[in-house]
Amino acid sequence: QKEVEQDPGPLSVPEGAIVSLNCTYSNSAFQYFMWYRQYSRKGPELLMYTYSSGNKEDGRFTAQVDKSSKYISLFIRDSQPSDSATYLCAMIWSNTGKLIFGQGTTLQVKP
Amino acid sequence: DAGVIQSPRHEVTEMGQEVTLRCKPISGHDYLFWYRQTMMRGLELLIYFNNNVPIDDSGMPEDRFSAKMPNASFSTLKIQPSEPRDSAVYFCATSGGPDTADEQFFGPGTRLTVL
């Protein structure tokens, strides 16, 4: 079993839709949870960063962490074609330096 | 700042040849990470350095892979001899610290094809 599980998709939605992306993990020692966005042929870039359980909102993006269920989500409201990318969840436990990535979910937002 | 710089951007080589990938970190960043990305295995951490010292190389797949960081401005990842299964995109990422959980900034990657 992988430490972090993420459905690779692809996921195709119409413009304006609400998108839900999810990851599950097995290691309860993970403390920091991140979402990276990767455009085609580019390096990943940090989108959202959360430490504790609960919600964190940044514009159209909301990151949700449920440590009891070992489940994290990223919601995108009013999705735009420019949101078309691969979204990777990532997690780390302090002082190890190891960022463990999910497989990534490829999202396409159609105009 | 120009961000993390990697070279070459693309590399095509034949099996058995030596391959050297290069990375210039963001100035002042103390942590440097090398990742490999494939469709099958996703993004995997190979090795990381703190202040030019290798901290964890447990992700390096085998002895054919080696990484160095001779100074704060430069790191290399070398594969010798290369094999077709090494074909992947290799990313270098750096972080300003002081905590290893700080944001990592990725370079554009080197797309390696081993024939």
Side-chain angles (χ1 to χ4, degrees), chain A residues 12-102:
Chain A
S12 182
V13 301
E15 183 176 353
I18 296 174
V19 177
S20 173
L21 305 168
N22 311 294
C23 288
T24 59
Y25 62 95
S26 56
N27 191 337
S28 58
F30 287 132
Q31 294 179 300
Y32 299 90
F33 305 89
M34 303 158 192
W35 286 94
Y36 278 78
R37 179 175 60 194
Q38 185 176 20
Y39 290 113
S40 179
R41 297 188 176 265
K42 302 285 187 183
E45 55 181 355
L46 184 65
L47 190 61
M48 298 282 286
Y49 181 126
T50 56
Y51 172 69
S52 59
S53 285
N55 294 353
K56 183 177 181 180
E57 191 171 317
D58 184 1
R60 296 185 295 109
F61 298 88
T62 299
Q64 192 173 78
V65 175
D66 182 347
K67 285 189 176 181
S68 61
S69 302
K70 299 190 181 68
Y71 190 87
I72 69 171
S73 300
L74 177 71
F75 298 96
I76 308 174
R77 291 185 301 281
D78 188 25
S79 56
Q80 302 296 309
S82 59
D83 295 328
S84 299
T86 297
Y87 291 81
L88 302 111
C89 63
M91 38 201 87
I92 193 172
W93 64 92
S94 187
N95 301 321
T96 67
K98 286 189 171 184
L99 200 57
I100 308 299
F101 283 89

